[in-house]
Amino acid sequence: MIMDDEVARLIRRMNPPRVVIDNQACEDATVIQVDSVNKHGILLEVVQVLTDMNLTITKAYISSDGGWFMDVFNVIDQDGKKIRDQEVIDCIQRRLESKASFAPSLRSSVGVMPAEEHTSIELIGSDRPGLLSEVCAVLTDLHCNVVNAEIWTHNARAAAVVHVTDDSTVCAIEDPKRLSTIKTLLCNVLKGNNDLKTAKMTISPPGVTSRERRLHQIMFADRDYERVGLGRLEDKNLKSHVTLLNIEKDYTVITMRSKDRPKLLFDIVCTLTDMEYVVFHGMVDTGKMEAYQEFYIRHVDGLPISSDAERDRVIQCLEAAIERRTSEGLELEFCGEDRLGLLSDITRIFRENSLSIMRAAITTKCGRAKGTFYVTDVSGNSVDPKIIDSIRQQIGQSMLLLKRNSFLSPQPAQETRMSYLFGNLFKARAFQNFKLIGSYS
């Protein structure tokens, strides 16, 4: 084992990672190529770097068969444009090379927060209107200040990762008795009246992994992928389509078609990695309305998917990964001065106006709070504009803005030009389509 580790380190020193960022190879996107020695999980690490820098991946080519890893991504910024800022380009390069070099540090690793003075609370329980408001009210009553929070709902379950500090000391809460009280009260809120699954609250050390990946892991462990009825996407005719097929060379091919959205590739790769599958080859292509993804995978033990039960589970888990972050309803954006109980007050106003929060993300920095809320009425339908006007008057017209209404978005096309393309992916023509930068020989 020691000899194997020494050989691996020697190989890495002899083959340092290479990241090339090119704005000339593609007309409408910046092309990023990453070459390095292969290791399990490196695809997720690279995708997470791009995702955490708020870059949108429009196309991708993935190849990691054997000892070498090579990815090509076409990316755009939040405005849909190429990456022109040289400081941003340099930052992308440094962070990608840090990941691919096998020498990540806790403070520099993307998605891993530096050690901060906060307590990280993880929650899972039955979803219902007003749940987040009740959770925030409990935390406020216990003099806990919410520093950051992210909340997802899916398939009648709600999960959250919340970072809190003690209101008086602005430090992490370490008193075991107080933490026990917080856990007891929050679990009582999460249980609800008819909770068929166990509500859970855990305290995790900060900086272990990204909040978004933890939310995937929490909901996966809670088996939220098991249907309890029609999913929200099915009700809105936005159902994702996932198929699996075993082919020659003992691969399983996964093809996915779904409505395109930010961070979709991260969610898929995160789920496959946590389920201990390895992506050997892959292709991603997105259009105006639809995203197409295709991956050749095996389990970490080197075997393809071998049973109908495993096949069905993988399909369910990938559909859940796509659906958890789907942005339904009205997107409301808050920005204002931070204070104790702010989130509790905002969510209380939502609850009093019969709004249901489907997803939310809240951050605080330098005395300011920013949050994004996706809300529907209690039946999952669009909200009356008069209610939104009333809420904005209560919270502040300039502090709460209506950003988007998914119920008014056009439906995705029935068919796209994408079909079963992977058979041509490894031909030279496919490389030309991606306009690859010259790689190592």
Side-chain angles (χ1 to χ4, degrees):
M1 179 64 71
I2 295 177
M3 180 63 70
D4 290 342
D5 291 341
E6 291 178 352
V7 171
R9 285 195 293 269
L10 176 61
I11 293 173
R12 292 195 292 270
R13 285 196 299 270
M14 294 177 62
N15 297 276
R18 182 192 187 205
V19 176
V20 179
I21 302 176
D22 191 343
N23 270 320
Q24 305 301 318
C26 180
E27 182 179 350
D28 55 4
T30 298
V31 179
I32 300 175
Q33 179 171 325
V34 182
D35 297 300
S36 77
V37 175
N38 194 18
K39 69 168 182 175
H40 179 55
I42 189 172
L43 174 60
L44 175 59
E45 293 176 353
V46 170
V47 170
Q48 191 165 356
V49 169
L50 302 178
T51 299
D52 287 352
M53 296 194 70
N54 294 317
L55 302 178
T56 298
I57 299 170
T58 60
K59 295 180 185 292
Y61 166 81
I62 299 157
S63 180
S64 61
D65 211 347
W68 197 254
F69 171 85
M70 197 269 298
D71 269 14
V72 178
F73 301 95
N74 286 12
V75 302
I76 53 177
D77 63 16
Q78 290 179 296
D79 297 322
K81 299 179 180 179
K82 291 184 177 183
I83 317 303
R84 298 291 189 183
D85 189 320
Q86 190 58 47
E87 289 187 7
V88 175
I89 291 174
D90 292 343
C91 182
I92 294 171
Q93 183 144 8
R94 286 195 305 270
R95 297 174 81 170
L96 286 175
E97 288 178 344
S98 174
K99 280 297 180 185
S101 70
F102 290 70
S105 68
L106 183 60
R107 290 185 174 269
S108 64
S109 296
V110 172
V112 176
M113 298 180 60
E116 295 181 4
E117 289 299 312
H118 65 248
T119 300
S120 182
I121 297 174
E122 299 178 352
L123 308 168
I124 184 72
S126 292
D127 184 30
R128 66 179 186 277
L131 176 61
L132 179 58
S133 175
E134 295 177 35
V135 168
C136 293
V138 168
L139 292 174
T140 300
D141 288 344
L142 295 172
H143 301 285
C144 300
N145 185 48
V146 177
V147 179
N148 299 293
E150 189 147 358
I151 300 94
W152 291 359
T153 65
H154 177 250
N155 202 19
R157 302 297 285 174
V161 176
V162 185
H163 295 163
V164 300
T165 60
D166 178 84
D167 179 47
S168 58
T169 65
V170 198
C171 295
I173 301 168
E174 298 179 348
D175 179 11
K177 185 177 180 180
R178 188 177 178 191
L179 289 174
S180 179
T181 300
I182 294 172
K183 182 173 182 177
T184 299
L185 294 178
L186 287 180
C187 281
N188 288 337
V189 169
L190 290 167
K191 285 178 181 178
N193 296 324
N194 299 299
D195 195 355
L196 300 178
K197 295 183 178 180
T198 303
K200 296 179 182 178
M201 193 219 88
T202 57
I203 304 294
S204 63
V208 174
T209 189
S210 71
R211 290 196 303 271
E212 294 171 328
R213 187 174 182 187
R214 280 300 301 145
L215 285 166
H216 276 300
Q217 292 172 341
I218 292 167
M219 300 196 92
F220 172 76
D222 189 62
R223 303 175 73 91
D224 74 311
Y225 52 85
E226 294 178 340
R227 297 287 181 187
V228 296
L230 288 178
R232 296 198 310 269
L233 287 181
E234 293 173 302
D235 293 336
K236 302 293 184 295
N237 296 317
L238 298 176
K239 183 78 170 65
S240 54
H241 183 66
V242 180
T243 60
L244 271 69
L245 176 69
N246 282 8
I247 64 163
E248 58 183 346
K249 296 185 179 179
D250 296 327
Y251 289 110
T252 296
V253 179
I254 300 177
T255 61
M256 287 161 284
R257 284 205 318 272
S258 66
K259 185 177 179 180
D260 190 29
R261 61 165 174 77
K263 302 186 179 182
L264 178 60
L265 178 59
F266 168 80
D267 294 336
I268 294 298
V269 174
C270 178
T271 299
L272 289 172
T273 302
D274 287 336
M275 293 181 71
E276 299 192 321
Y277 291 100
V278 179
V279 176
F280 288 88
H281 304 287
M283 186 273 290
V284 176
D285 198 352
T286 65
K288 292 183 179 180
M289 295 302 301
E290 190 175 59
Y292 179 91
Q293 302 181 69
E294 188 163 277
F295 301 114
Y296 276 29
I297 70 165
R298 294 180 193 148
H299 195 267
V300 289
D301 60 11
L303 298 176
I305 292 173
S306 57
S307 69
D308 289 341
E310 183 184 8
R311 174 185 176 278
D312 292 343
R313 183 169 178 265
V314 170
I315 290 175
Q316 288 180 335
C317 290
L318 291 175
E319 288 177 344
I322 293 170
E323 295 173 11
R324 288 173 191 141
R325 207 199 291 260
T326 298
S327 302
E328 291 186 43
L330 297 179
E331 179 184 351
L332 301 174
E333 185 176 274
F334 172 85
C335 184
E337 185 177 351
D338 187 29
R339 59 175 172 79
L340 177 66
L342 174 64
L343 185 57
S344 176
D345 289 343
I346 293 174
T347 54
R348 174 183 52 79
I349 292 172
F350 286 168
R351 184 192 69 212
E352 291 173 348
N353 285 272
S354 300
L355 296 190
S356 181
I357 297 174
M358 313 306 292
R359 188 161 62 87
I362 300 96
T363 60
T364 62
K365 186 176 182 180
C366 300
R368 302 286 292 176
K370 294 182 65 176
T372 302
F373 303 88
Y374 296 89
V375 300
T376 66
D377 68 10
V378 291
S379 301
N381 299 316
S382 185
V383 182
D384 187 333
K386 293 180 181 179
I387 294 178
I388 297 300
D389 290 340
S390 174
I391 291 173
R392 292 188 63 206
Q393 289 176 8
Q394 295 177 65
I395 295 177
Q397 294 278 358
S398 62
M399 292 189 291
L400 187 68
L401 302 177
L402 173 59
K403 301 295 290 184
R404 189 179 67 90
N405 186 350
S406 70
F407 291 103
L408 300 179
S409 300
Q411 293 295 319
Q414 292 289 325
E415 298 290 337
T416 67
R417 63 185 180 85
M418 301 304 302
S419 57
Y420 209 74
L421 298 180
F422 207 97
N424 294 323
L425 181 61
F426 299 106
K427 296 181 180 179
R429 195 181 336 177
F431 284 88
Q432 294 171 3
N433 289 338
F434 273 92
K435 299 182 179 179
L436 299 184
I437 309 163
S439 182
Y440 294 135
S441 57

